[in-house]
Amino acid sequence: MNARVALLALLVLAGCGLQPVYSGGGHGVAATTLDTIEIAPIPEKVGYLLTEALQRRFGEHPAAPRYRLQVELQDEILGFGSRGDNSIARERRTLRARYRLVSLATGRIVLDATAGSDVGIDRVSSDYAVVAAESTALERLATEVARQISANLALAAHDGRLTDDGAAATVLPAAGSEGAPPR
C-alpha cells in the first residue's frame, strides 16, 4: 500500500510542474551559477567562518566569475535567565546576514536578501567551557547561514531570477525571520 501512495504522490507532483532545484546535477542551472560566484572579503572571525562554509558550497575560486557576493553580518550574544547569584544561566547567539549578489558585468544588484539563525548556549561555571561553547555555536551558525544563502541563490538561479536586465533587485526575507535585514 505504501508503494501505491508514493507512486500517486510522484504523479501528482509531476503534474504540478515541480522540479528539483539541482536538476541536471553539476551541469544544471543552479550548480553552474553557484560556480560563477566570487565572495567579497567578509571581516572578522565570523566572516572567515562564513567564507569557508560558502566556499565549500560554491567552490573556492571561480574560473570565470559573473557575480560577487557581498555579505554584511550581525553577530550578537544575548544573556537571559538568571541563577540565585544573579549570574546569567543561558545565552542566545544570533547570526544575521544581509547579502547582495552583484553582477560583475554591470555592477547591478541582482539579488538582495537576508539569512539568519540562532542557537542557545548554557552558561556553566567554567569560563573555558563557555568560550568553547560560544565558538562552536558560531561555527554552527556560519554553516547554517551559508546553507541558507546557497539554497536561496540556487533557487533564484533555477527560477531565472538572477537576470541583469535592468529590473529592480529581488528582495527576499530570511527563512524563519521577520524579514528585517541586520542593523
Side-chain angles (χ1 to χ4, degrees), residues 1-7:
M1 189 65 156
N2 288 340
R4 288 183 183 173
V5 172
L7 181 60

Side-chain angles (χ1 to χ4, degrees), residues 2 5 9 36 43-44 53 67 72 81 105 117 132 151 164 175:
N2 288 340
V5 172
T36 64
E44 300 182 20
Y67 303 101
E72 299 169 22
S117 189
D164 191 22

Side-chain angles (χ1 to χ4, degrees), residues 1 7 15 19 26 30 34 37 72 94 96 125 133 148 170 172 177:
M1 189 65 156
L7 181 60
Q19 295 178 343
L34 293 179
I37 298 173
E72 299 169 22
T94 305
R96 300 279 180 248
S125 59
Q148 289 177 21
T170 304
L172 300 171
S177 75

Side-chain angles (χ1 to χ4, degrees), residues 11 48 81 84 87 93 95 107 124 128 130 139 145 180:
L11 291 174
Y48 170 80
S87 64
R93 186 159 204 166
L95 182 62
V124 294
Y128 176 78
V130 171
E139 291 171 14
V145 168

Side-chain angles (χ1 to χ4, degrees), residues 76-87:
E76 200 171 59
I77 298 177
L78 176 65
F80 62 95
S82 61
R83 296 186 179 97
D85 63 355
N86 288 331
S87 64

Side-chain angles (χ1 to χ4, degrees), residues 4-19:
R4 288 183 183 173
V5 172
L7 181 60
L8 181 61
L10 284 174
L11 291 174
V12 169
L13 287 176
C16 72
L18 289 178
Q19 295 178 343

